[in-house]
Amino acid sequence: MTRSNEINDVSPTSLNHLIGQRNVIEQVRVALEASFADNRPFDHCLCVGPAGVGKTQTAKVIAAEMASEFHEVLGQALERAADLNALLLAAKDKDVIFIDEAALIPSEQQHALLIALDQRKIILAGGKTGRSPQSLPLASFSLVMATTDQYRLIPPLIDRMRLVLNFQFYHEHELVEITRQRLRALNWPVDEEVLPLIAQRSRGVPRLALRLAQAAWRVARSEGELRITAKNLERACLLEQLDALGLGPLEQQYLRIVKDGTSRLNVIASRLGLPPRTVSQVTEQFLIRMGFVDKDEHGRRFLTRKGHEHLSTSRQHDD
């Protein structure tokens, strides 16, 4: 069997092959069975959850299970009415239209999408010619939207979603199974001990687990090996400056900044050289979720006992 060199060259195409997100899978399974029973498109749905936890993959599996064409676009790409119209008109009956980062769809296009769902048509303005607006009928498609922040979508559009799929972070044993499944499909041999080491560095996110597996495979191949070992993974983490829990250089620096007392967000951001919004929404999210960092009543950040323990352990490992 020929080995692929890219982790994303293979991916699940069946609901039965998806691992984790049990509640989401059962919701999708019931909706699929109802669609087949009634010979109708899959219900419009909204996928909500953190980045990298399988929202796009689930949308692709829905299209595969429906034997339908899959139309994918980013929300920020729908800047003009013409962009949205082209997307909607390209879909045929029962096709799946997937809009990722849907919260970034401009408000005007969100309202236009609302009309398209309600009336199954788009309205073309007459423009400078003075002609009356025209309408074009749309196929009976399925709309699947994904977002990390559903409250940036207009409420009426959310209300039109017949399914809301709430994605959660994965457990480590699920990440082990996801990584094993993908490596087996790629024909990349791996020592069993490596899989939990990848999982514990992946923050509950399959995308990170697979990226780390790819990095370990890259190291193995660079050394002429055809099997991923713990040594390969260790070197991959060293190259990317990841610690035992997958914290990168910025997060490690964040912990060092707050270890001696409370710090304001703007001070931390300044020392990291990042905008405060990036620090609050990206850098510190995992640290707070892990219980390494907390906030006092004034919103100042400080290192918890668990954070001090992790920082101490990391230093001992470095020494």
Side-chain angles (χ1 to χ4, degrees):
M1 181 185 295
T2 302
R3 288 184 174 88
S4 170
N5 291 315
E6 291 295 331
I7 199 79
N8 291 321
D9 282 350
V10 296
S11 58
T13 57
S14 167
L15 205 61
N16 292 331
H17 294 157
L18 293 180
I19 296 169
Q21 305 296 346
R22 184 175 303 175
N23 187 60
V24 167
I25 290 175
E26 286 310 305
Q27 282 183 275
V28 172
R29 193 184 307 279
V30 169
L32 282 170
E33 290 172 352
S35 297
F36 286 129
D38 296 336
N39 191 28
R40 59 176 177 79
F42 187 82
D43 289 323
H44 301 313
C45 75
L46 177 65
C47 301
V48 181
V53 294
K55 299 187 293 295
T56 300
Q57 184 63 65
T58 301
K60 290 180 177 179
V61 167
I62 289 171
E65 293 277 7
M66 292 292 295
S68 301
E69 191 172 343
F70 186 72
H71 307 263
E72 182 177 5
V73 69
L74 293 174
Q76 55 265 49
L78 302 176
E79 294 182 355
R80 304 171 303 158
D83 301 322
L84 179 61
N85 291 344
L87 175 68
L88 299 180
L89 289 170
K92 301 181 294 293
D93 285 345
K94 296 186 180 180
D95 279 2
V96 173
I97 293 177
F98 176 63
I99 305 178
D100 199 4
E101 300 183 19
L104 299 181
I105 303 173
S107 177
E108 184 178 353
Q109 308 316 328
Q110 289 192 40
H111 284 89
L113 186 55
L114 185 64
I115 294 174
L117 295 180
D118 281 347
Q119 302 181 21
R120 202 178 299 172
K121 64 182 180 181
I122 58 173
I123 309 298
L124 300 179
K128 296 180 180 180
T129 63
R131 292 181 300 178
S132 300
Q134 294 181 315
S135 64
L136 292 177
L138 295 172
S140 184
F141 58 82
S142 300
L143 177 65
V144 180
M145 299 192 298
T147 182
T148 58
D149 184 4
Q150 70 183 93
Y151 298 106
R152 291 177 63 184
L153 293 167
I154 59 174
L157 185 55
I158 296 176
D159 292 342
R160 298 315 189 272
M161 299 298 103
R162 295 172 183 168
L163 285 174
V164 176
L165 307 178
N166 289 292
F167 289 73
Q168 308 296 326
F169 289 106
Y170 286 69
H171 298 292
E172 286 190 9
H173 70 272
E174 294 171 333
L175 293 172
V176 166
E177 291 305 314
I178 289 170
T179 307
R180 179 187 288 115
Q181 178 194 63
R182 188 68 63 93
L183 295 183
R184 184 182 296 125
L186 289 162
N187 194 27
W188 293 0
V190 59
D191 288 348
E192 188 65 23
E193 64 176 347
V194 174
L195 298 176
L197 296 177
I198 289 176
Q200 74 182 28
R201 290 166 169 80
S202 300
R203 312 177 182 218
V205 179
R207 182 186 297 167
L208 296 181
L210 298 176
R211 186 173 71 82
L212 191 51
Q214 174 87 62
W217 175 251
R218 186 185 306 119
V219 169
R221 295 302 297 125
S222 73
E223 298 177 355
E225 300 174 3
L226 291 172
R227 186 178 193 85
I228 299 174
T229 66
K231 182 180 178 182
N232 300 143
L233 177 62
E234 182 179 354
R235 187 176 179 206
C237 292
L238 184 63
L239 290 171
E240 298 194 18
Q241 301 178 61
L242 300 178
D243 68 13
L245 290 181
L247 299 187
L250 278 174
E251 290 140 328
Q252 295 169 34
Q253 185 181 352
Y254 182 113
L255 294 181
R256 292 192 293 270
I257 290 172
V258 299
K259 71 179 178 65
D260 294 326
T262 59
S263 297
R264 297 188 181 279
L265 175 61
N266 61 339
V267 174
I268 298 171
S270 179
R271 293 184 63 179
L272 289 175
L274 295 172
R277 183 182 179 89
T278 300
V279 175
S280 64
Q281 295 189 359
V282 180
T283 310
E284 70 181 11
Q285 286 296 306
F286 180 64
L287 301 176
I288 292 176
R289 178 159 63 89
M290 288 296 296
F292 292 164
V293 173
D294 206 345
K295 305 176 187 178
D296 65 15
E297 63 274 16
H298 302 293
R300 292 173 297 196
R301 278 66 169 170
F302 63 91
L303 201 63
T304 64
R305 186 172 76 172
K306 188 176 180 181
H308 279 289
E309 291 173 353
H310 177 74
L311 199 58
S312 176
T313 301
S314 297
R315 283 178 173 174
Q316 292 174 9
H317 184 268
D318 291 340
D319 294 341

